[in-house]
Amino acid sequence: LLLILSISPQIKRQLDTPKGRVFNGLEFYSDDYSIYVSNIFQGQRGRWTLLDKHTSEPHQGTIIHDEYLLWGKFTSLFHVDPITSYHLARFTFGFLLLIVLYLFLIEIFPNFPKFPNSPNIIKRKLAFFLITFSTGFIIVKNSPTGLNFDFHMNWLTEMDVFYRFVALPHYLLGNIFFLGALICFLNYLRPPNSLNSLIFGSACALLLALIHPVALVSLLALLGIYIVFITVIKIITIITVKNFSSLFS
């Protein structure tokens, strides 16, 4: 329901477009938007590397943001135009992100079969609700038309409840692989240290590096802090147990 409400302005604008006019599908980030739609268009035309159609300078194709090109190849199978394909990517990746997000929360707050009403289930649902619907503090401004309600950093799509899961497709896809890598690496760091988890986690990290490289830095930093924290806890636990045992030896 949230995704439908979030994407509904584009549907309404498309339906309200007068005859003889074309709705270009723009919602935010106009400079970026035209490039991403161009990338989808190139994929639908059969290219495997991307060209910057916004410059006349000669250059070679690149695989940067190839996810748009591949999405264009997929949507071309159903004869979907590039603009509609772009918004379908926002909706599809947003839906997948919500699923992966809940799987991540299951990893943090695991199920206990013998306790179907355990506090972890309540914590998981509360965390999912807060991640989905929370936003910044409201700012009330006076305007010629009356009171205007805004929030801090309103230029950041992730701060807006109705843009958070239908933002730029590569942001959404990057977050999917970010959480996927976290889930896999957390599984690997716990007994029995499954090698498959390490392999899948590494694959997610590689795809994250190709799609949204900046997020890879956050992922590595987060994992590094987690490993250091767990190591310190283990050392403290071992020392405490040894000291406690020596009292009774």
Side-chain angles (χ1 to χ4, degrees):
L1 179 60
L2 176 64
L3 292 176
I4 293 173
L5 289 174
S6 300
I7 207 77
S8 59
Q10 283 72 46
I11 299 175
K12 184 178 186 304
R13 289 164 187 157
Q14 179 67 42
L15 296 175
D16 290 346
T17 302
K19 291 184 178 181
R21 302 290 183 91
V22 176
F23 172 52
N24 65 4
L26 177 63
E27 179 60 23
F28 42 74
Y29 301 148
S30 58
D31 295 341
D32 295 348
Y33 169 75
S34 60
I35 293 176
Y36 302 145
V37 173
S38 170
N39 293 346
I40 292 173
F41 179 73
Q42 291 179 57
Q44 292 181 340
R45 287 299 183 94
R47 287 197 60 86
W48 286 98
T49 56
L50 293 170
L51 297 174
D52 185 356
K53 296 295 186 178
H54 294 69
T55 179
S56 59
E57 296 179 1
H59 60 281
Q60 300 295 322
T62 179
I63 61 171
I64 296 176
H65 283 319
D66 228 24
E67 64 275 7
Y68 288 101
L69 183 145
L70 295 175
W71 182 254
K73 290 185 177 298
F74 173 73
T75 55
S76 68
L77 299 175
F78 306 96
H79 307 288
V80 182
D81 65 89
I83 293 175
T84 305
S85 296
Y86 176 84
H87 293 294
L88 280 176
R90 293 172 59 205
F91 185 88
T92 304
F93 297 158
F95 179 74
L96 293 176
L97 178 56
L98 285 170
I99 294 175
V100 176
L101 172 61
Y102 197 77
L103 293 176
F104 173 72
L105 293 176
I106 291 176
E107 187 69 25
I108 301 300
F109 305 109
N111 289 321
F112 297 103
K114 294 183 179 180
F115 303 97
N117 296 318
S118 68
N120 272 3
I121 295 178
I122 298 174
K123 292 177 183 177
R124 186 194 313 149
K125 292 180 179 179
L126 178 60
F128 187 77
F129 176 84
L130 291 175
I131 293 171
T132 305
F133 294 103
S134 62
T135 185
F137 290 107
I138 301 297
I139 303 173
V140 181
K141 300 178 180 178
N142 286 320
S143 67
T145 57
L147 291 179
N148 181 27
F149 296 93
D150 204 348
F151 53 88
H152 293 280
M153 295 194 297
N154 59 1
W155 52 269
L156 188 63
T157 53
E158 286 77 3
M159 294 293 292
D160 192 314
V161 172
F162 293 105
Y163 279 152
R164 183 170 300 149
F165 294 101
V166 290
L168 298 179
H170 68 279
Y171 281 11
L172 301 171
L173 198 57
N175 288 333
I176 290 171
F177 288 119
F178 183 95
L179 292 175
L182 274 181
I183 293 171
C184 293
F185 287 139
L186 287 175
N187 274 320
Y188 173 72
L189 292 173
R190 297 169 182 169
N193 307 111
S194 171
L195 181 61
N196 287 337
S197 295
L198 179 62
I199 293 173
F200 283 117
S202 300
C204 286
L206 176 60
L207 291 171
L208 175 62
L210 292 173
I211 295 170
H212 199 202
V214 176
L216 180 64
V217 178
S218 301
L219 173 65
L220 296 177
L222 187 60
L223 288 173
I225 293 171
Y226 176 80
I227 292 172
V228 170
F229 177 78
I230 293 298
T231 303
V232 170
I233 293 298
K234 287 182 179 179
I235 292 173
I236 293 174
T237 303
I238 293 171
I239 294 174
T240 303
V241 171
K242 285 184 177 180
N243 291 338
F244 186 77
S245 299
S246 64
L247 294 176
F248 299 93
S249 60

